[in-house]
Amino acid sequence: MSTHTPSQLRTNADLRQLQRTMAAALMKPLTRQDGMPASTQVDFITPNDRMSSFERLEIYARQYWFRLLDCLYDDYPALRVFLGERRFHQLCRDYLAQHPSTSWTLRNLGSALPEFITDLKARDVARVEWAQTLAFDEALKKPLRIDDLLGADPSTLHLGLQPCVVLIQIDHAVDHFITAMKKTDADVRGSASQAMSEAPTRTKVAQAPKLKREHVHLAVHRHDNQLYFKRLVPESFAMLAALRDGLTLADAIELALAQASPNADWPAQIRDWFTEFSQLGWFTQFPRKS
Amino acid sequence: MPANTHNGHTDLGIGLGLRVPHYRHILEKKPVCDWFEIISENFMVDGGRPLEVLDSILEQYRVVQHGVSMYFGNADPLNRDHLKKLKRLVKRTNTPWLSDHLCWGSVDGRCSHDLLPMPYTMSVAKHTAEKIRQARDFLEVPICVENVSSYAEFTQNEMTEWEFLNEVVEHADCGILLDVNNIYVSSQNHGFDPFEYLRAVPHHRVGQIHIAGHTRHDHVILDTHDHPVPDPVWDLYAEAIQNSGSTATLLEWDDKIPSFEDVHAEALKANRYLHEHTHA
C-alpha cells in the first residue's frame, strides 16, 4: 500500500513524511533472492536513463539489510555455528524485521536477539554471546583491592561490580561450546564511512561442537582486554549478583548462603572468593545515585 | 585553504583512516604519518581495547574525528545521548575539527545505519544547517560536513547537490569535508559534470578532503572504498587543491584492506599532487 509523499517539501513535517516512506521501503524484508519486494513504493525516486526508480531504491534496501545482517553475523558467530547457516540467516532476517535498530550504534543491534529466540539451547548461546559484547567494551572502573576493604563494616559496606563483568545463568555449557569453537573476539566492530556492505558471506560454517545440558553460573569478563569465562559456584555467583544489585556485604553474604550446606567452611570460602575476585579487579566503588 | 577556521587553523598534510587490521603495525612500528582519522562511533564506548588503542595512538599522533551517525538531515532532532558521548570523545582526542555527513539516516527512532541522500530543497537546507549549528554549539569544535555519494535522487529536488551543499554550509557557517571520490561517483550515477560541482564549492570553506576508490558496475558506481584511487578521482583532487590550497587530505580504504605500507603509499601519492597543484 502506498503512502502519500509530499510533492514539495515546505515544512519539517513534509521531510519527516518523506523519510518515513523511504525508511519503510528500505526496512521491508528482502525477497528470497535478496531483492526489494515488488510492492515497494518508489514514486518519490526519479529514474535515470539506466535505472528505474525501483532499481535505484533497491540499492539502498539491499545495503540496509546486508549491513545489519553482517553485524549480526559478526556478533553471534557461535549461534551461527550452532544453528547452521540456513536457520541462522532466517533467524536474523526475522529478528531484524521485528526489531529494527533503535540505537545510533550497531553495537546494540543484537541486544534483543536472545529473548527473541524460542529454542532454549539457541537462546543460551545467544545470551552468552550478548554477554561477551557487553564485557568487550563496558567500563573498567578503578578496582578496589582487598586492603581497601580492611576495617569496613559489612553491615553498611556496598561494593560495586565492574560493568565489564557480566553474570549469567544458563542451562547449557555454552562456555565450553564457544571455547571449542576457538572464537576470537578482539576486533573492534565498525564499518567505516560510506563503504557499501555486501551480503554476509554464506560460507560453510564450522562443524558445531556438542552443546551439553548443564546448569552453569557464569561470569563473562574482560581482563587485559581479553574476554574470559569463569565458572562460579552458586553461592559466590549469588553474592556477586547481590552486591551488584546494591545489597550490603553482610546482606549479600546472608542471601548467598541462605540455602548453602551448613557443613562447609564458608568463612574460609568467602575469604578465598574475595582474594580471587579482588585480584581480578572485579570490585569497585558502588556507583552513587545521581 | 590550508589552515582555516573550519579545520581549527591546523595545517595537516596526508592522513590515514585508523583501521583495526593496522593497529598492531602502527603501535609496534610507529610509522611516520601526519595524522589519523578515526570513526568516532567506534570509540564512543565506556572501555576496552578500542579506547586503549586510541590512547596509545594519541600519545604519538594527531587524531581527527569523523562521524557516521550525527544525521544532520534527519527530520528528527539531534540525539542528545549521541552528542554527549561524542563530546566526551572530543575532549579525549582534542580533535581540531570534527566531520560528519550531509545526509539523513533515521526517522522516528529507527536507524538505517546508512548515509541516505538528502532531498535538495531550501527548507531542508535551512533545517539541516540549524542542526549543524546546534551540534557545533554543543560540541564546541569546528564542524565540516561531507558530501556523500548517492545512487538515487528525489522527485522533490529543487536544486543541484552542489547548490544544496552551498546553502547548507552558508546558513550553518561551517566547513566542508570535500570527498572528491563521492563527487565522482555521484556524477557518474546522476549524469552531471564533476568539475562543475568542484567549481561551485565555496573553496574557503574546505577544511579537509577525502580521496578513495570505488567499484564500477554496469549501470551504477558503488562507493566501496576497497580499491586504489582511480585516475578520474586524482584529476578531481588536483582541481580541488588548486582551488582550495594544500588541504588536509585523507585516503579512505575500508574494505579488502591491504597492508599499512600499501595504504600509506597510496595516500602519499597525494603529496605529488600537493606539490604540483598548489603553492603551499
Side-chain angles (χ1 to χ4, degrees):
Chain A
M1 191 178 72
S2 71
T3 56
H4 171 72
T5 51
S7 58
Q8 294 182 314
L9 304 179
R10 296 289 181 229
T11 66
N12 196 43
D14 293 337
L15 176 62
R16 177 171 283 108
Q17 184 55 47
L18 177 66
Q19 293 181 345
R20 280 177 176 158
T21 305
M22 183 162 171
L26 306 187
M27 295 178 186
K28 196 184 280 191
L30 298 178
T31 64
R32 284 185 178 278
Q33 292 73 38
D34 286 337
M36 194 168 70
S39 61
T40 305
Q41 183 177 353
V42 300
D43 58 0
F44 54 93
I45 298 293
T46 55
N48 67 9
D49 57 348
R50 289 158 289 162
M51 299 178 79
S52 66
S53 301
F54 184 95
E55 290 168 326
R56 300 184 95 185
L57 190 59
E58 188 179 44
I59 294 172
Y60 286 101
R62 289 163 59 91
Q63 192 162 281
Y64 167 79
W65 281 93
F66 294 166
R67 176 175 286 121
L68 270 56
L69 286 167
D70 203 36
C71 177
L72 293 178
Y73 271 59
D74 282 348
D75 287 354
Y76 288 98
L79 182 62
R80 181 181 172 210
V81 168
F82 177 75
L83 290 177
E85 183 63 35
R86 191 183 58 78
R87 285 177 67 201
F88 179 73
H89 190 73
Q90 190 58 49
L91 170 71
C92 292
R93 288 173 62 124
D94 293 345
Y95 171 71
L96 291 174
Q98 291 191 37
H99 293 271
S101 175
T102 56
S103 169
W104 53 266
T105 170
L106 280 169
R107 185 262 207 183
N108 297 331
L109 181 67
S111 61
L113 184 61
E115 299 313 309
F116 182 76
I117 297 171
T118 52
D119 176 85
L120 295 180
K121 281 186 174 180
R123 180 189 289 184
D124 270 356
V125 176
R127 288 177 67 211
V128 173
E129 292 205 286
W130 176 245
Q132 288 185 299
T133 296
L134 296 177
F136 178 70
D137 61 14
E138 285 289 343
L140 177 67
K141 299 182 176 177
K142 185 183 178 188
L144 290 176
R145 298 298 165 195
I146 201 155
D147 290 352
D148 299 330
L149 309 178
L150 292 176
D153 178 0
S155 67
T156 59
L157 179 63
H158 291 270
L159 292 174
L161 188 66
Q162 292 285 4
C164 63
V165 178
V166 184
L167 303 175
I168 183 171
Q169 285 190 68
I170 44 179
D171 290 317
H172 303 87
V174 179
D175 51 340
H176 291 169
F177 179 85
I178 291 178
T179 302
M181 278 180 54
K182 296 184 177 175
K183 176 178 182 292
T184 58
D185 39 37
D187 284 349
V188 174
R189 182 195 313 127
S191 62
S193 189
Q194 204 175 358
M196 288 279 298
S197 288
E198 296 178 353
T201 312
R202 298 184 194 179
T203 52
K204 189 177 180 182
V205 296
Q207 181 78 29
K210 187 86 172 166
L211 178 59
K212 293 179 182 166
R213 184 168 175 80
E214 180 182 1
H215 193 77
V216 180
H217 294 80
L218 192 67
V220 183
H221 67 112
R222 187 176 79 236
H223 191 76
D224 288 340
N225 287 329
Q226 296 291 321
L227 293 185
Y228 294 95
F229 297 128
K230 181 170 180 58
R231 287 190 172 202
L232 303 170
V233 295
E235 291 81 9
S236 66
F237 182 96
M239 183 192 73
L240 289 170
L243 289 171
R244 177 199 61 196
D245 295 341
L247 270 65
T248 64
L249 178 57
D251 289 344
I253 291 173
E254 183 178 338
L255 181 77
L257 301 183
Q259 296 179 6
S261 164
N263 300 324
D265 183 1
W266 290 112
Q269 287 277 340
I270 292 169
R271 271 197 304 275
D272 289 347
W273 296 342
F274 269 82
T275 301
E276 182 178 20
F277 299 153
S278 297
Q279 285 173 346
L280 288 168
W282 285 9
F283 295 124
T284 184
Q285 294 279 357
F286 191 75
R288 291 180 185 168
K289 290 177 182 171
S290 55
Chain B
M1 303 302 119
N4 58 33
T5 56
H6 308 299
N7 57 26
H9 297 286
T10 54
D11 195 8
L12 304 184
I14 309 300
L16 286 177
L18 182 65
R19 299 292 179 262
V20 174
H22 296 157
Y23 280 0
R24 178 171 292 182
H25 179 93
I26 296 166
L27 294 175
E28 290 180 358
K29 306 285 185 185
K30 298 182 173 47
V32 175
C33 182
D34 282 0
W35 55 288
F36 284 105
E37 184 185 82
I38 62 166
I39 301 299
S40 299
E41 285 75 5
N42 288 349
F43 300 92
M44 288 160 62
V45 293
D46 291 329
R49 185 169 178 244
L51 290 181
E52 187 178 272
V53 169
L54 177 60
D55 288 343
S56 298
I57 296 289
L58 284 167
E59 289 174 6
Q60 305 279 336
Y61 299 97
R62 172 73 91 167
V63 165
V64 177
Q65 286 182 225
H66 180 54
V68 293
S69 55
M70 197 110 71
Y71 298 138
F72 297 123
N74 279 358
D76 293 344
L78 293 166
N79 183 319
R80 301 292 292 184
D81 170 59
H82 179 272
L83 279 179
K84 285 179 186 172
K85 285 192 161 68
L86 188 57
K87 187 165 187 173
R88 206 162 66 189
L89 186 64
V90 164
K91 288 180 176 171
R92 192 179 197 116
T93 64
N94 198 25
T95 184
W97 74 92
L98 177 149
S99 60
D100 207 315
H101 299 81
L102 186 52
C103 71
W104 72 280
S106 65
V107 63
D108 299 330
R110 292 185 171 194
C111 192
S112 71
H113 300 282
D114 201 351
L115 309 173
L116 302 173
M118 297 297 301
Y120 305 137
T121 76
M122 185 58 79
S123 69
V124 173
K126 288 179 179 174
H127 165 80
T128 305
E130 174 56 26
K131 291 178 68 178
I132 295 169
R133 282 181 174 275
Q134 290 171 8
R136 183 182 55 216
D137 290 348
F138 182 82
L139 296 169
E140 299 177 294
V141 65
I143 289 180
C144 291
V145 291
E146 178 181 354
N147 56 295
V148 299
S149 54
S150 62
Y151 317 110
E153 298 167 297
F154 292 99
T155 55
Q156 292 87 349
N157 285 356
E158 297 170 351
M159 58 182 84
T160 63
E161 182 187 332
W162 54 93
E163 289 168 339
F164 181 77
L165 173 64
N166 286 358
E167 293 296 342
V168 169
V169 297
E170 289 300 329
H171 280 97
D173 191 18
C174 69
I176 297 173
L177 194 180
L178 190 67
D179 190 317
V180 290
N181 176 59
N182 287 350
I183 291 176
Y184 181 77
V185 168
S186 294
S187 75
Q188 299 299 294
N189 291 338
H190 305 311
F192 62 77
D193 177 2
F195 288 94
E196 184 181 357
Y197 190 132
L198 274 186
R199 284 192 292 273
V201 166
H203 311 304
H204 64 288
R205 291 192 179 277
V206 177
Q208 183 189 340
I209 296 175
H210 270 175
I211 50 177
H214 53 251
T215 303
R216 185 179 289 273
H217 295 264
D218 286 347
H219 301 304
V220 67
I221 293 183
L222 298 179
D223 185 23
T224 46
H225 296 180
D226 62 352
H227 285 78
V229 180
D231 287 342
V233 175
W234 283 122
D235 292 343
L236 284 174
Y237 179 64
E239 175 84 8
I241 56 177
Q242 205 154 18
N243 295 334
S244 301
S246 179
T247 306
T249 299
L250 180 115
L251 170 70
E252 293 184 296
W253 202 317
D254 299 317
D255 201 8
K256 301 173 188 167
I257 301 175
S259 71
F260 180 88
E261 291 94 338
D262 287 350
V263 176
H264 200 193
E266 181 69 11
L268 289 178
K269 287 182 188 172
N271 266 331
R272 179 164 57 86
Y273 285 84
L274 288 174
H275 291 135
E276 290 177 3
H277 296 276
T278 69
H279 305 289

